[in-house]
Amino acid sequence: MIIVMEAQATPAHIQQVSSKLEEKGFQVHLSQGVERTIIGAIGQKTTTTMELFETLPGVEKVVPIAQPFKMASREFKPDSSLIEVGGQMIGNGQVQIIAGPCAVEGRSKFLEVAHAVKESGATMLRGGAFKPRTSPYAFQGLEHEGLEILAEARQITGLPVVTEIMDPRLVNEVADYVDILQVGARNMQNFFLLRELGKIQRPILLKRGPSATIEEWIMAAEYIISSGNEQVIMCERGIRSFENYTRNTLDLSAVPLIKQLTHLPIIVDPSHGTGKWKLVEPMALAAIGAGADGVMVEVHQNPSEALSDGPQSLTPENFARLVTRVNKMVMALRATEN
Amino acid sequence: MIIVMEAQATPAHIQQVSSKLEEKGFQVHLSQGVERTIIGAIGQKTTTTMELFETLPGVEKVVPIAQPFKMASREFKPDSSLIEVGGQMIGNGQVQIIAGPCAVEGRSKFLEVAHAVKESGATMLRGGAFKPRTSPYAFQGLEHEGLEILAEARQITGLPVVTEIMDPRLVNEVADYVDILQVGARNMQNFFLLRELGKIQRPILLKRGPSATIEEWIMAAEYIISSGNEQVIMCERGIRSFENYTRNTLDLSAVPLIKQLTHLPIIVDPSHGTGKWKLVEPMALAAIGAGADGVMVEVHQNPSEALSDGPQSLTPENFARLVTRVNKMVMALRATEN
Amino acid sequence: MIIVMEAQATPAHIQQVSSKLEEKGFQVHLSQGVERTIIGAIGQKTTTTMELFETLPGVEKVVPIAQPFKMASREFKPDSSLIEVGGQMIGNGQVQIIAGPCAVEGRSKFLEVAHAVKESGATMLRGGAFKPRTSPYAFQGLEHEGLEILAEARQITGLPVVTEIMDPRLVNEVADYVDILQVGARNMQNFFLLRELGKIQRPILLKRGPSATIEEWIMAAEYIISSGNEQVIMCERGIRSFENYTRNTLDLSAVPLIKQLTHLPIIVDPSHGTGKWKLVEPMALAAIGAGADGVMVEVHQNPSEALSDGPQSLTPENFARLVTRVNKMVMALRATEN
Amino acid sequence: MIIVMEAQATPAHIQQVSSKLEEKGFQVHLSQGVERTIIGAIGQKTTTTMELFETLPGVEKVVPIAQPFKMASREFKPDSSLIEVGGQMIGNGQVQIIAGPCAVEGRSKFLEVAHAVKESGATMLRGGAFKPRTSPYAFQGLEHEGLEILAEARQITGLPVVTEIMDPRLVNEVADYVDILQVGARNMQNFFLLRELGKIQRPILLKRGPSATIEEWIMAAEYIISSGNEQVIMCERGIRSFENYTRNTLDLSAVPLIKQLTHLPIIVDPSHGTGKWKLVEPMALAAIGAGADGVMVEVHQNPSEALSDGPQSLTPENFARLVTRVNKMVMALRATEN
């Protein structure tokens, strides 16, 4: 790290910082500038170490040099990670299309939509058994019964299944029923949950928190990986900005950035990312243009009767059109890479 | 709620919306405007009901009329709630000054700072036993040992103690040791945790999430209250904005707003709200000006050796100065109310 | 508009609002709800009228029904506007690729890059003669000399030219030299400038302000159109969010939204939108996926010697690759529309 | 500045950066770290110089050391600037209370409110002659006639007058009529206007742009100062965040920050900062607590008939109460400083 001293810092201030750095095991390089002194510190720093130096007298700021994430970084592992899910690969250039309703609302309804999306070309199923809702008065999911319906749909359609896990006490139970465990946006920094998910060997779909920076999001992946589970799939689903025509602001720049900074695959959720079904197809195509490894979209046979997220759900007909367009675009892009 | 139809909506569209409203138990009022038709729906709506209507053909938007929170609202309970903590009252016009280090780092260090802040005029103690950290490689707290130290400090100083609870499995254990359980900003929408906290009878300090709107924050309080625990204290600690000179943007307008919209007390955390100790005193004074029921500040005997949040921690000397100024200001403000 | 009364509003409050509405020429519809009264007001409202009612006693909030923009809206003009520039059409399904350096730095350098981008497939040229810079100490552009260089490049290459106009006093001078006048993001609400641009008959490229909502941006277009110039092209160039890995957050949802709400064409600037040249190509492809009518990218023969915006400029080689990929993708998308 | 090389940077990359630095007149210090090389560059850098190095192969990032502003900085001028306006001083510990309607709506109405606020204790008058409005259909101000009314009110009441200037062509005309020229939030980066204001000798009230960082705002002050006019008063009026209960998010941390980073006085506008009159008094008191040199508030004799900003305007009665409370608080704070 680099420690920038204030213009008025005295030699005693500089000496104190240098001594403390050496005491913590850093090598010290002093540069005397026109206006201020800069101290380069070579060694293993942690976020906490950095903060300490900010509080010493005469210090203006501390500038980190290395990225705070290690095991998730592309420097640590230059080759892109491939993650196997039910015989399919995420991250190998194929584009996954994960579809299904926001919440599992009942057995026959879920099986019906599962068949419909499979027929249109979905490669995986999604559906929520546990629903975290802003209001305590809204539908909270079928819970255990929902998991059983998901498992049945998986068996019937042959498609892998994704569902959200919220309670660290239920990690093993949920892992028994589904192929991919999803960490919802609101739980991205639920570190107890992340650590539990690091103890199982099952792919984790890690949604970006609505106010998480790219760096914080990668640090959440680092929690899971450093706890023992390397199978992390990132999922961009929109960040919170001042714009409120859309439910969130889908930050597609995150797609190429995650690919540059990490070795992890990334998929995009244009349903939550926009909150409006009329924007889902154009933003799914945009996600593919940006280089995403897949999209996850909400589909409901009758959005005006959905128990949650109706306004952002596609009908099966609109979903079929999206699949056709996405697949044509994937082929066109692949043709230009050679 | 109000349903605004598109300019091109047909009579059949309007009829479909009206029928569905009546089917759901709403009374319907039609207003034919110059450019579009507006449908007023009188009845008990939920967020989910509203969303349903957004997806019907011909509907442009659905506008909520009533606020989504009930038990937390001042309409529901016009008198301000007073919350008793260890013989002291929060919300009665007194100003609480809660102080202590970010994390409990060890027995003797914590007792030392506890004595120091008590002597300077702190009315409650704070200290973290469980530390949620962005990095998995940073200090995570003394956990159970930290709780025992907190309980000892409470006994010795006679001051009530606040600590953060993160894991729903530990609610009862933590409640055995401390007076106020704090929900951290990152867990504001950890609904499993909120529901567990609704089952105990102990004051909850509910920090605002860094990307939570005022409404979402009140809805989180509603989760706790509607689960059975009415003792909720709101805590503004800064929101995330584009400005990054400060760690967060302390949104002091939240103070008078929470007082207008709810009956709950609110305190302000200028330490996390700014991330810089030089800003803590002016922002504590500003919080009092805005009408806060208290402030919570981080104090460490040696910020440059703190295991977390050093840069935003006051020394005991600076804290003493803050207490003096806050108390003088409280008296001046009270004098002007009459 | 809809006026929602507070739960405690008295009959006298409701009467006062109703009378004032009628005095201003509105038709009044009362709906008595369970908890509160709602007043529907039918008539021509302006933003100012709405605000007035917010201040009357007993009023909780005023909800707009109609959008505030008229001449820019798709309701006003259902067919998409086509804008002719130097024999080419913007908005007809073709994709325009506008390229060139951030600033015109000198005659030979500009002509060189102009030839290079034309050869690679650019359809229009860009280059700044007047450069608004955050720092008063940075290069401010060649000003009049820059305009002459742009005009010469246009003549030699046959490509239309875009440049930024900042000073309302220079509108006619700049219009004499270039084909499209660009309003920069920082001037999106410089209403004196917008009105001057409404008085000429020349296409205007209207960049979105970094903190402008979709609605404010369309209102800026409305200023130009209502002053007499209908040739407005919208340009999304990123908004300001908390994320700072990228210079701005490119809000591609704006592309389908502008197409739904207005009849105006929209192009995307992934150079300013990301600030990093490595993200420009993926985000240009994403923009096309989202349905943009074109992209505008910064190209410099030697980005490490650029007088401004070097880090986000492509080399001519990288630009050539972008053009190839964009054009293949446009063809693939068009094939799926039939 | 510090140049951080990528982990994979080769010796040739490092050599190229070093040579280029020396060519630009910098002294070079190399630090070979465990994972990467860091190059310290001592010399006069500009923003543009920094950007250049970001584009060289092998460079990961460029970190600025010195602040980009000079003449506005407290390092440049350690003593706080005092600005004289009509015999009063801004910045000397007195608190100015600037009051008046958003827009000058007519002679008798303005004189009436001017008298009222003077009587209640206002120390300066405000009123807009030119009104930049989001909608082209809203009231745009009385323009020249408004200036004459302002001048008359100044003469009658003896209070100095503030008004907004938007058009660089009108700087001298407006300066003839008023004491302080205000740069509105939307024009904070209208660099042509800032340069014109640098050429006159008249105090400038520089409002912060709704999406301007502290650094960009200070750079706007630097434009005015470096053009020759040192009389700049900063004005915090809220930034744009995701929270929309309030019109803007009043960032009071800016008050102590501006005082630490610059020598300029700062006042706070809680009317625009909140958009709701019920929040104006608590936020004015908060501003004083934070250390502001004054507040600027909108007052209208009949807010429900105001031609603009009615919802955030105080009645003269509420304003009188605000003045009393602000003045008591100023005395209390001053008493604690000794």
Side-chain angles (χ1 to χ4, degrees):
Chain A
M1 71 188 145
I2 299 289
I3 296 173
V4 181
M5 302 301 291
E6 291 174 349
Q8 318 91 299
T10 65
H13 290 151
I14 295 168
Q15 184 52 49
Q16 187 188 0
V17 173
S18 301
S19 305
K20 185 150 193 159
L21 280 169
E22 283 162 354
E23 180 194 320
K24 301 265 175 200
F26 287 88
Q27 253 187 282
V28 174
H29 291 244
L30 278 190
S31 306
Q32 206 74 37
V34 186
E35 287 176 14
R36 55 195 83 207
T37 295
I38 295 155
I39 304 175
I42 308 291
Q44 278 307 93
K45 69 117 189 73
T46 62
T47 310
T48 314
T49 324
M50 275 183 55
E51 285 187 346
L52 293 187
F53 288 92
E54 266 186 47
T55 65
L56 292 180
V59 170
E60 185 168 303
K61 61 178 167 184
V62 179
V63 181
I65 296 308
Q67 292 159 331
F69 41 93
K70 300 191 192 313
M71 298 177 78
S73 75
R74 203 169 267 284
E75 284 184 16
F76 181 81
K77 176 166 179 302
D79 292 334
S80 295
S81 288
L82 303 188
I83 292 172
E84 202 250 313
V85 181
Q88 300 181 44
M89 280 297 174
I90 299 185
N92 68 345
Q94 305 293 323
V95 163
Q96 299 295 334
I97 301 180
I98 309 173
C102 177
V104 178
E105 298 173 0
R107 184 177 171 277
S108 62
K109 280 172 78 179
F110 189 77
L111 294 181
E112 183 193 353
V113 82
H115 279 298
V117 298
K118 183 187 181 182
E119 197 149 320
S120 301
T123 60
M124 299 190 187
L125 293 178
R126 62 147 290 148
F130 303 92
K131 296 307 308 170
R133 306 299 295 278
T134 304
S135 167
Y137 310 120
F139 174 63
Q140 309 273 330
L142 295 182
E143 309 199 344
H144 186 80
E145 187 192 341
L147 293 177
E148 301 216 322
I149 295 169
L150 285 167
E152 185 180 352
R154 172 172 61 163
Q155 202 173 9
I156 295 177
T157 61
L159 297 181
V161 161
V162 187
T163 205
E164 181 170 350
I165 169 81
M166 286 184 287
D167 189 327
R169 295 168 290 193
L170 300 179
V171 166
N172 289 317
E173 181 183 345
V174 175
D176 282 350
Y177 284 91
V178 301
D179 300 276
I180 302 181
L181 283 78
Q182 173 183 315
V183 177
R186 291 190 188 99
N187 279 296
M188 192 202 83
Q189 292 193 317
N190 183 337
F191 301 120
F192 277 70
L193 178 62
L194 299 180
R195 274 202 290 252
E196 293 296 326
L197 294 171
K199 296 180 191 157
I200 61 171
Q201 291 309 314
R202 196 53 66 85
I204 308 299
L205 186 73
L206 179 64
K207 287 203 158 186
R208 182 180 183 181
S211 68
T213 62
I214 295 280
E215 194 173 293
E216 289 166 341
W217 185 22
I218 300 176
M219 287 309 280
E222 189 87 6
Y223 255 93
I224 300 171
I225 299 173
S226 68
S227 300
N229 182 357
E230 298 185 0
Q231 302 174 65
V232 178
I233 305 154
M234 307 297 269
C235 179
E236 163 66 30
R237 48 74 74 200
I239 58 175
R240 182 152 269 181
S241 79
F242 62 83
E243 178 57 66
N244 53 17
Y245 243 97
T246 43
R247 181 171 172 183
N248 291 289
T249 296
L250 194 66
D251 180 16
L252 288 181
S253 301
V255 174
L257 263 177
I258 287 293
K259 294 206 160 285
Q260 288 170 22
L261 297 171
T262 79
H263 51 82
L264 303 171
I266 176 168
I267 69 159
V268 170
D269 174 349
S271 303
H272 287 87
T274 64
K276 292 190 189 307
W277 70 266
K278 282 186 189 170
L279 301 179
V280 170
E281 182 188 299
M283 295 312 283
L285 292 167
I288 301 306
D293 296 299
V295 290
M296 179 154 80
V297 298
E298 291 188 347
V299 180
H300 194 282
Q301 51 269 78
N302 188 353
S304 75
E305 292 290 346
L307 295 184
S308 63
D309 282 353
Q312 68 197 34
S313 296
L314 295 182
T315 58
E317 296 67 40
N318 284 328
F319 174 68
R321 179 185 141 105
L322 176 149
V323 176
T324 308
R325 299 197 81 199
V326 162
N327 285 336
K328 286 232 175 115
M329 200 163 125
V330 171
M331 285 191 299
L333 278 174
R334 214 170 285 152
T336 66
E337 277 165 0
N338 309 317
Chain B
M1 71 187 145
I2 299 290
I3 296 173
V4 181
M5 302 301 291
E6 292 174 350
Q8 318 93 297
T10 63
H13 290 152
I14 295 168
Q15 184 51 49
Q16 187 187 1
V17 173
S18 301
S19 306
K20 184 149 194 161
L21 279 170
E22 284 161 354
E23 179 195 320
K24 302 265 174 198
F26 287 89
Q27 251 186 284
V28 174
H29 291 244
L30 278 192
S31 306
Q32 206 74 38
V34 188
E35 287 175 13
R36 56 196 80 208
T37 294
I38 296 156
I39 305 175
I42 309 290
Q44 277 308 92
K45 68 115 190 75
T46 61
T47 311
T48 314
T49 326
M50 276 183 54
E51 285 188 346
L52 292 187
F53 288 91
E54 266 186 47
T55 64
L56 291 180
V59 171
E60 185 169 301
K61 60 179 168 185
V62 179
V63 182
I65 295 308
Q67 291 159 333
F69 43 93
K70 302 194 190 313
M71 299 177 77
S73 75
R74 204 170 266 283
E75 285 184 15
F76 181 81
K77 177 168 178 302
D79 291 334
S80 295
S81 288
L82 301 188
I83 293 172
E84 200 253 312
V85 181
Q88 300 180 47
M89 280 295 176
I90 300 185
N92 67 344
Q94 304 293 324
V95 163
Q96 300 295 335
I97 301 180
I98 309 172
C102 177
V104 178
E105 299 174 359
R107 186 179 170 278
S108 61
K109 281 171 79 179
F110 189 77
L111 294 181
E112 183 192 351
V113 82
H115 280 297
V117 299
K118 184 187 180 184
E119 197 148 322
S120 301
T123 61
M124 299 190 188
L125 293 178
R126 60 148 291 148
F130 303 91
K131 296 307 307 170
R133 306 299 296 278
T134 306
S135 167
Y137 309 121
F139 174 65
Q140 310 273 329
L142 294 183
E143 310 199 343
H144 186 80
E145 188 193 339
L147 293 176
E148 302 217 320
I149 295 169
L150 286 167
E152 186 181 351
R154 172 170 61 162
Q155 202 174 10
I156 295 177
T157 61
L159 297 181
V161 162
V162 187
T163 206
E164 180 169 352
I165 169 80
M166 286 183 288
D167 189 327
R169 294 168 292 193
L170 301 179
V171 166
N172 288 318
E173 181 184 345
V174 174
D176 281 349
Y177 284 91
V178 302
D179 300 276
I180 301 180
L181 282 78
Q182 172 184 317
V183 178
R186 293 189 186 100
N187 278 296
M188 193 203 82
Q189 292 193 315
N190 183 339
F191 301 119
F192 278 71
L193 179 62
L194 299 179
R195 275 201 290 250
E196 293 296 326
L197 294 171
K199 296 178 193 158
I200 61 171
Q201 290 310 315
R202 194 55 66 82
I204 308 299
L205 185 73
L206 179 63
K207 288 204 155 185
R208 180 179 185 181
S211 68
T213 62
I214 296 280
E215 192 173 295
E216 289 165 342
W217 185 21
I218 300 176
M219 287 308 280
E222 188 88 6
Y223 256 93
I224 300 171
I225 299 172
S226 68
S227 301
N229 183 356
E230 299 185 0
Q231 303 173 64
V232 178
I233 304 153
M234 306 298 268
C235 180
E236 164 65 29
R237 46 74 72 199
I239 57 175
R240 184 152 266 182
S241 79
F242 62 83
E243 178 56 67
N244 53 18
Y245 242 96
T246 43
R247 182 171 170 182
N248 291 287
T249 296
L250 194 65
D251 179 17
L252 288 181
S253 302
V255 174
L257 264 177
I258 287 293
K259 295 206 161 284
Q260 288 171 22
L261 297 171
T262 79
H263 52 82
L264 303 171
I266 176 168
I267 69 160
V268 171
D269 174 350
S271 303
H272 286 87
T274 64
K276 293 190 190 304
W277 71 265
K278 283 185 190 171
L279 302 179
V280 170
E281 183 189 297
M283 295 313 284
L285 293 166
I288 301 307
D293 296 297
V295 291
M296 179 155 79
V297 298
E298 291 187 349
V299 180
H300 194 281
Q301 51 268 79
N302 189 353
S304 75
E305 292 290 344
L307 296 184
S308 62
D309 282 352
Q312 69 196 36
S313 297
L314 295 183
T315 58
E317 294 70 37
N318 285 328
F319 174 68
R321 178 185 143 104
L322 176 149
V323 175
T324 308
R325 301 197 79 199
V326 162
N327 285 336
K328 286 231 176 117
M329 198 160 129
V330 171
M331 284 190 300
L333 278 174
R334 216 170 283 153
T336 66
E337 277 165 359
N338 308 318
Chain C
M1 70 188 145
I2 299 289
I3 296 174
V4 181
M5 302 301 290
E6 291 173 349
Q8 318 92 299
T10 64
H13 290 153
I14 295 167
Q15 184 52 48
Q16 187 187 0
V17 172
S18 301
S19 305
K20 185 150 194 160
L21 280 170
E22 282 162 355
E23 179 194 322
K24 301 266 174 199
F26 287 89
Q27 254 187 280
V28 174
H29 291 243
L30 278 190
S31 306
Q32 206 75 37
V34 187
E35 288 175 14
R36 56 195 81 208
T37 295
I38 295 155
I39 305 175
I42 308 290
Q44 277 306 93
K45 68 111 190 79
T46 62
T47 310
T48 314
T49 325
M50 275 183 55
E51 285 188 346
L52 293 186
F53 288 92
E54 266 186 46
T55 65
L56 291 180
V59 170
E60 184 168 302
K61 60 179 168 184
V62 180
V63 181
I65 297 308
Q67 291 160 334
F69 43 93
K70 301 193 190 314
M71 299 178 77
S73 75
R74 203 170 266 285
E75 284 184 16
F76 181 81
K77 178 168 178 300
D79 292 333
S80 295
S81 287
L82 302 188
I83 293 172
E84 200 251 313
V85 181
Q88 301 180 44
M89 280 298 177
I90 300 185
N92 68 345
Q94 305 292 325
V95 164
Q96 299 295 335
I97 301 179
I98 309 173
C102 177
V104 179
E105 298 173 0
R107 184 178 171 277
S108 62
K109 280 171 80 179
F110 189 77
L111 294 181
E112 184 192 353
V113 82
H115 280 297
V117 299
K118 184 188 180 180
E119 197 148 320
S120 302
T123 60
M124 299 190 188
L125 292 178
R126 62 147 289 148
F130 303 91
K131 296 306 307 170
R133 306 299 295 278
T134 304
S135 167
Y137 309 120
F139 175 64
Q140 310 272 331
L142 294 182
E143 309 199 344
H144 186 79
E145 188 192 340
L147 294 176
E148 302 218 320
I149 295 169
L150 286 167
E152 186 181 351
R154 171 170 62 163
Q155 201 174 9
I156 295 177
T157 61
L159 297 181
V161 162
V162 187
T163 205
E164 180 169 351
I165 169 80
M166 285 183 288
D167 189 328
R169 296 167 290 194
L170 300 180
V171 167
N172 289 317
E173 182 184 345
V174 174
D176 281 349
Y177 283 92
V178 302
D179 300 276
I180 302 180
L181 282 77
Q182 173 183 317
V183 177
R186 292 191 189 99
N187 280 296
M188 193 203 83
Q189 292 193 316
N190 183 338
F191 302 118
F192 278 70
L193 178 62
L194 299 179
R195 275 201 289 251
E196 292 297 324
L197 294 171
K199 296 180 191 156
I200 60 171
Q201 291 308 315
R202 194 56 66 83
I204 307 299
L205 185 73
L206 179 65
K207 287 203 158 186
R208 180 180 185 181
S211 68
T213 61
I214 295 279
E215 193 172 293
E216 289 166 342
W217 185 21
I218 300 175
M219 287 307 281
E222 188 89 4
Y223 256 92
I224 300 171
I225 298 172
S226 67
S227 300
N229 183 357
E230 299 185 359
Q231 301 174 65
V232 178
I233 305 154
M234 307 297 269
C235 180
E236 163 66 30
R237 47 74 74 200
I239 58 175
R240 182 152 269 182
S241 79
F242 62 82
E243 178 57 65
N244 54 17
Y245 243 97
T246 43
R247 183 171 170 182
N248 291 289
T249 295
L250 194 65
D251 179 17
L252 288 181
S253 302
V255 174
L257 264 177
I258 287 292
K259 294 206 160 284
Q260 288 170 22
L261 297 171
T262 79
H263 51 82
L264 303 170
I266 177 167
I267 69 158
V268 170
D269 174 350
S271 303
H272 287 87
T274 64
K276 293 190 189 306
W277 70 265
K278 283 186 188 171
L279 302 179
V280 170
E281 182 188 300
M283 295 312 284
L285 292 167
I288 300 306
D293 295 299
V295 290
M296 179 154 80
V297 297
E298 291 189 348
V299 180
H300 194 283
Q301 51 268 76
N302 188 352
S304 75
E305 291 291 345
L307 296 184
S308 64
D309 283 352
Q312 69 196 35
S313 296
L314 295 182
T315 59
E317 295 69 38
N318 285 328
F319 173 68
R321 179 185 140 105
L322 176 151
V323 175
T324 307
R325 299 197 81 199
V326 162
N327 285 336
K328 285 231 176 117
M329 199 162 128
V330 171
M331 285 191 298
L333 278 174
R334 214 170 284 152
T336 66
E337 277 164 1
N338 308 317
Chain D
M1 71 187 146
I2 300 289
I3 297 173
V4 180
M5 303 299 293
E6 292 173 349
Q8 319 91 298
T10 64
H13 290 151
I14 296 167
Q15 185 51 48
Q16 189 189 358
V17 172
S18 302
S19 304
K20 185 149 191 160
L21 279 169
E22 282 162 355
E23 179 194 320
K24 302 266 175 198
F26 288 88
Q27 251 186 282
V28 174
H29 290 245
L30 278 191
S31 305
Q32 206 75 38
V34 187
E35 287 176 13
R36 56 196 81 208
T37 295
I38 295 155
I39 303 175
I42 309 292
Q44 279 307 93
K45 69 113 190 74
T46 62
T47 310
T48 315
T49 325
M50 276 183 54
E51 285 188 344
L52 293 185
F53 287 92
E54 266 187 46
T55 65
L56 291 180
V59 171
E60 185 169 301
K61 61 178 168 185
V62 179
V63 181
I65 297 307
Q67 292 159 331
F69 43 93
K70 301 192 191 314
M71 298 177 78
S73 74
R74 203 170 265 285
E75 284 184 16
F76 181 80
K77 179 166 177 304
D79 292 333
S80 295
S81 287
L82 302 187
I83 293 173
E84 201 252 312
V85 182
Q88 301 180 44
M89 279 296 174
I90 300 184
N92 68 344
Q94 304 293 324
V95 163
Q96 299 295 335
I97 301 181
I98 310 172
C102 177
V104 179
E105 299 174 359
R107 186 179 169 277
S108 62
K109 281 171 77 179
F110 189 77
L111 294 181
E112 183 192 351
V113 82
H115 279 297
V117 298
K118 185 188 178 181
E119 198 148 320
S120 302
T123 60
M124 300 191 187
L125 293 178
R126 60 148 291 147
F130 303 92
K131 297 305 308 169
R133 306 299 296 278
T134 305
S135 166
Y137 309 120
F139 174 63
Q140 311 272 329
L142 294 182
E143 309 200 344
H144 186 78
E145 187 191 341
L147 293 177
E148 301 216 323
I149 294 168
L150 286 168
E152 186 180 352
R154 172 170 61 162
Q155 203 173 7
I156 294 177
T157 61
L159 297 181
V161 162
V162 188
T163 206
E164 180 169 351
I165 169 80
M166 285 184 288
D167 189 328
R169 295 168 291 194
L170 301 179
V171 167
N172 289 317
E173 182 183 345
V174 174
D176 281 350
Y177 285 91
V178 300
D179 300 276
I180 302 180
L181 283 77
Q182 172 184 318
V183 178
R186 293 190 186 100
N187 278 298
M188 192 202 83
Q189 292 194 316
N190 183 338
F191 301 118
F192 277 71
L193 177 63
L194 299 180
R195 275 201 290 252
E196 292 297 326
L197 294 171
K199 294 180 192 157
I200 61 172
Q201 291 310 315
R202 194 56 66 83
I204 308 299
L205 185 73
L206 179 64
K207 287 204 158 186
R208 181 179 183 180
S211 68
T213 61
I214 296 279
E215 192 172 295
E216 289 165 343
W217 185 21
I218 300 175
M219 287 309 280
E222 187 88 5
Y223 255 92
I224 299 171
I225 299 173
S226 68
S227 301
N229 183 357
E230 299 186 359
Q231 302 174 66
V232 178
I233 304 154
M234 307 297 269
C235 179
E236 163 65 30
R237 46 75 72 200
I239 58 175
R240 183 153 267 182
S241 79
F242 63 82
E243 179 56 68
N244 52 19
Y245 242 97
T246 43
R247 183 171 170 183
N248 291 289
T249 295
L250 194 65
D251 180 16
L252 288 181
S253 302
V255 174
L257 263 177
I258 286 293
K259 294 208 161 283
Q260 288 171 23
L261 297 171
T262 79
H263 50 84
L264 303 171
I266 175 167
I267 69 159
V268 170
D269 174 351
S271 303
H272 287 87
T274 64
K276 292 190 190 305
W277 71 265
K278 284 187 189 170
L279 302 179
V280 170
E281 182 188 299
M283 295 312 283
L285 292 167
I288 301 306
D293 296 298
V295 291
M296 179 156 80
V297 298
E298 292 189 348
V299 180
H300 194 281
Q301 51 269 77
N302 189 352
S304 75
E305 293 290 345
L307 296 183
S308 62
D309 283 352
Q312 69 196 36
S313 296
L314 296 182
T315 58
E317 295 68 39
N318 285 328
F319 174 69
R321 178 185 143 104
L322 176 149
V323 175
T324 307
R325 300 198 80 201
V326 161
N327 286 337
K328 286 231 177 121
M329 198 161 128
V330 170
M331 284 189 300
L333 278 174
R334 216 171 283 153
T336 66
E337 276 165 359
N338 308 318

